[in-house]
Amino acid sequence: MDYPEFLNVSELKKLASRRAPDQVEMEAILDKALKLKGLNTEEAAALLAVRDEKQIRLIMDAAEKAKETIYGKRMVIFAPLYSGNHCSNNCLYCGFRKDNKDIARRKLNQDEITQQTRMLLKEGHKRLLLLSGESGHYPLAYLKESLKTIYSVNEEGASIRRVNVEIAPLSVDQFKELKECSIGTYICFQETYDPDLYRKYHISGPKSNYENRLFVMHRAMEAGIDDVGIGALFGLGDHRFEVLAMMRHAEELERLYGCGPHTVSVPRIEPAPGSELTENVPFPVDDDAFRTIIAVIRLSLPYTGIILSTRESAELRQELFRYGVSQVSAGSKTSIGGYTEKEAENQQFALGDHRSMEEVLADMVGMGFIPSFCTGCYRKGRVGQDFMDLAKPGLIKHYCLPNGIVSFAEYLMDFAGEETRQKGFALINKLTEEESDSVVQGNIRSSLEKITAGERDIYL
């Protein structure tokens, strides 16, 4: 197979096998990382080679400083909504794969999508990720109708304010249609960037075309989609190679379109019904390696959001909040109709974090984080390159912290139990008092007064 020129697979594989750095090299790389200008693949490869616990701790500490500087104390919250699980692909790691006869196939109609959305609104969600299997059952017309349905649902004055989408690759013209539906971020995982392994795991179906999937973000951005999200499924290949390949992917998008990916997702393989591969992971990623992955991505792509799903345990998720993760799902269901039905016979993969959304948020508050439901940047047009132009000089925090605090205050007023409400407002008051910029502090106070008075959906 011909390797895409920008990826240079053979070079990255060589880098991925390098030795761990000595102390002098390690300190030089981390000093550069803390300038928040990013790392190149050679420097990232050095950090990814580290296995010594003390050196891993140094990397984690640097990532914590970088995250705190850029993102402060806010953590974006969302929920996935699976609209169906029919699939034309045979991906050996996925419970939705075509040849899995042990799973019940289902496609939600628009009334069912309305019911799922209502249930999520009752929990307090404002941001959703719409997903489906990759199949002719889910043509673009169905997806556009589903987006329209989700945005139209009103539950006692509450509505979904932003829907990101994770669907099969589209053509440039199809992406132009999708853009008109007011989507947030378009997300699509390469799964593995290793072309040979990709062919091994994707044995049939449209997804077996490696290059069609690799260049999907090029088509999306050419069509005017401002924010895109990339990712790899860790466990399919050497995790060091996958991280370096994602970095090259990000560099190529920025070179061509002036902006790299808005988010990077870091799922690990979890058991999936009907998938033997998930019971014997080809390239296992232990917790120390996973910690390093997240920390190195944070240091290498400092202004790119890192998404962590409920595949991971509650304990590990809480730890990783500090070291690079900036967006998390909460109260998630990966089954079709899972938010209104108790049975989960058709889930895509097993969950590691089974806490309710309020439990996740309460634990976050206990760690000093503000759960954010903010969608202000999307609606004010601070997306793509405009977002990065504010993020890189550190100006985006003037919007993120106030909008995060105010959106969380709205949640506390409308959905939280009394204990969570009291602890949440105590944290809000503390962070507001600690804000050193008088203008930002004033914006927070005035917006909180409006929320207390009954106004909603306030953002800068």
Side-chain angles (χ1 to χ4, degrees):
M1 177 182 289
D2 293 332
Y3 296 154
E5 184 177 347
F6 78 85
L7 205 54
N8 201 332
V9 171
S10 56
E11 176 197 346
L12 293 183
K13 286 188 175 182
K14 184 177 180 181
L15 275 177
S17 64
R18 67 149 287 169
R19 60 168 178 78
D22 60 27
Q23 193 65 23
V24 173
E25 184 183 8
M26 165 79 81
E27 290 176 0
I29 294 171
L30 294 183
D31 285 346
K32 177 185 175 182
L34 289 176
K35 293 180 173 63
L36 305 181
K37 301 296 184 182
L39 299 176
N40 59 39
T41 48
E42 291 82 1
E43 293 157 340
L47 298 185
L48 288 165
V50 169
R51 294 300 288 171
D52 178 78
E53 288 186 10
K54 291 182 179 179
Q55 287 191 318
I56 290 174
R57 177 51 52 194
L58 290 175
I59 297 171
M60 302 291 284
D61 289 345
E64 182 174 16
K65 291 176 183 176
K67 192 205 169 183
E68 177 73 19
T69 300
I70 296 168
Y71 293 96
K73 291 294 186 181
R74 69 122 169 102
M75 186 76 66
V76 173
I77 306 297
F78 73 95
L81 197 169
Y82 283 77
S83 63
N85 61 358
H86 302 85
C87 200
S88 303
N89 301 308
N90 264 316
C91 308
L92 297 183
Y93 49 81
C94 182
F96 289 177
R97 65 188 181 89
K98 180 181 178 181
D99 284 355
N100 184 6
K101 306 302 182 185
D102 298 328
I103 190 171
R105 303 290 175 175
R106 183 175 174 189
K107 172 185 175 181
L108 298 183
N109 60 37
Q110 297 306 309
D111 285 342
E112 290 170 323
I113 288 176
T114 296
Q115 293 167 12
Q116 295 292 298
T117 305
R118 287 193 186 284
M119 187 60 66
L120 288 163
L121 285 169
K122 288 178 180 178
E123 294 293 319
H125 279 290
K126 296 294 186 290
R127 301 166 62 118
L128 299 186
L129 173 63
L130 179 65
L131 308 94
S132 70
E134 298 189 10
S135 164
H137 286 82
Y138 312 102
L140 185 56
Y142 168 80
L143 295 165
K144 290 168 63 177
E145 185 180 10
S146 299
L147 287 163
K148 183 178 179 181
T149 295
I150 292 169
Y151 279 129
S152 71
V153 177
N154 187 294
E155 180 64 26
E156 297 183 1
S159 60
I160 298 299
R161 297 169 185 167
R162 186 54 49 191
V163 185
N164 298 334
V165 294
E166 186 177 329
I167 57 174
L170 302 174
S171 67
V172 172
D173 287 342
Q174 288 174 319
F175 275 123
K176 289 179 179 178
E177 284 190 58
L178 187 64
K179 180 178 171 62
E180 298 303 312
C181 297
S182 299
I183 67 164
T185 304
Y186 172 71
I187 297 171
C188 188
F189 300 167
Q190 186 63 24
E191 315 294 10
T192 175
Y193 283 86
D194 185 315
D196 298 320
L197 290 176
Y198 189 95
R199 184 170 59 247
K200 176 181 178 181
Y201 300 136
H202 303 89
I203 58 178
S204 66
K207 193 172 174 178
S208 62
N209 187 328
Y210 173 88
E211 289 204 355
N212 180 63
R213 197 165 188 92
L214 182 64
F215 286 97
V216 65
M217 296 309 177
H218 291 65
R219 299 195 297 275
M221 297 187 86
E222 183 182 338
I225 302 290
D226 298 294
D227 289 342
V228 299
I230 63 175
L233 180 56
F234 288 97
L236 293 179
D238 182 335
H239 69 273
R240 297 165 296 180
F241 167 79
E242 302 293 0
V243 172
L244 299 178
M246 284 197 291
M247 288 177 61
R248 284 284 171 84
H249 197 176
E251 290 170 2
E252 176 72 355
L253 294 177
E254 184 159 11
R255 183 183 72 82
L256 292 175
Y257 304 105
C259 181
H262 186 63
T263 60
V264 170
S265 295
V266 290
R268 283 193 289 186
I269 293 177
E270 290 295 333
S275 169
E276 292 183 7
L277 182 144
T278 63
E279 302 297 334
N280 187 22
V281 177
F283 292 83
V285 178
D286 63 29
D287 286 353
D288 274 345
F290 194 55
R291 292 180 179 98
T292 306
I293 287 169
I294 290 173
V296 171
I297 293 174
R298 172 53 58 229
L299 296 172
S300 302
L301 303 171
Y303 303 99
T304 299
I306 299 178
I307 299 176
L308 187 65
S309 76
T310 46
R311 291 171 181 259
E312 303 299 336
S313 69
E315 295 76 19
L316 185 59
R317 290 213 320 158
Q318 288 180 235
E319 177 188 350
L320 295 174
F321 291 167
R322 302 201 308 271
Y323 300 118
V325 172
S326 56
Q327 296 190 26
V328 293
S329 53
S332 302
K333 304 292 183 184
T334 66
S335 54
I336 315 306
Y339 295 107
T340 57
E341 301 164 15
K342 292 183 179 180
E343 296 297 325
E345 296 177 352
N346 55 11
Q347 65 180 356
Q348 187 181 26
F349 54 82
L351 299 179
D353 187 348
H354 298 276
R355 292 174 295 170
S356 69
M357 179 155 105
E358 182 163 354
E359 288 172 329
V360 172
L361 302 193
D363 288 345
M364 248 180 223
V365 168
M367 296 175 66
F369 287 106
I370 286 288
S372 173
F373 299 87
C374 171
T375 57
C377 283
Y378 293 116
R379 296 154 84 191
K380 285 288 190 178
R382 296 188 294 264
V383 294
Q385 188 171 356
D386 289 340
F387 175 87
M388 289 300 177
D389 287 345
L390 288 169
K392 290 180 179 179
L395 299 176
I396 198 66
K397 283 204 301 186
H398 295 329
Y399 302 100
C400 288
L401 181 62
N403 286 343
I405 284 176
V406 174
S407 68
F408 183 45
E410 181 179 327
Y411 168 85
L412 293 172
M413 294 288 291
D414 296 343
F415 301 100
E418 184 58 31
E419 183 178 356
T420 303
R421 184 179 298 116
Q422 289 182 11
K423 291 180 178 178
F425 274 113
L427 178 60
I428 285 174
N429 292 334
K430 177 178 181 291
L431 294 180
T432 303
E433 288 291 337
E434 291 175 352
E435 175 55 53
S436 58
D437 188 308
S438 60
V439 174
V440 173
Q441 188 182 70
N443 286 333
I444 296 172
R445 291 191 188 283
S446 62
S447 297
L448 288 173
E449 289 175 2
K450 293 176 183 178
I451 292 293
T452 303
E455 291 188 47
R456 293 294 180 266
D457 198 13
I458 297 169
Y459 55 92
L460 302 174

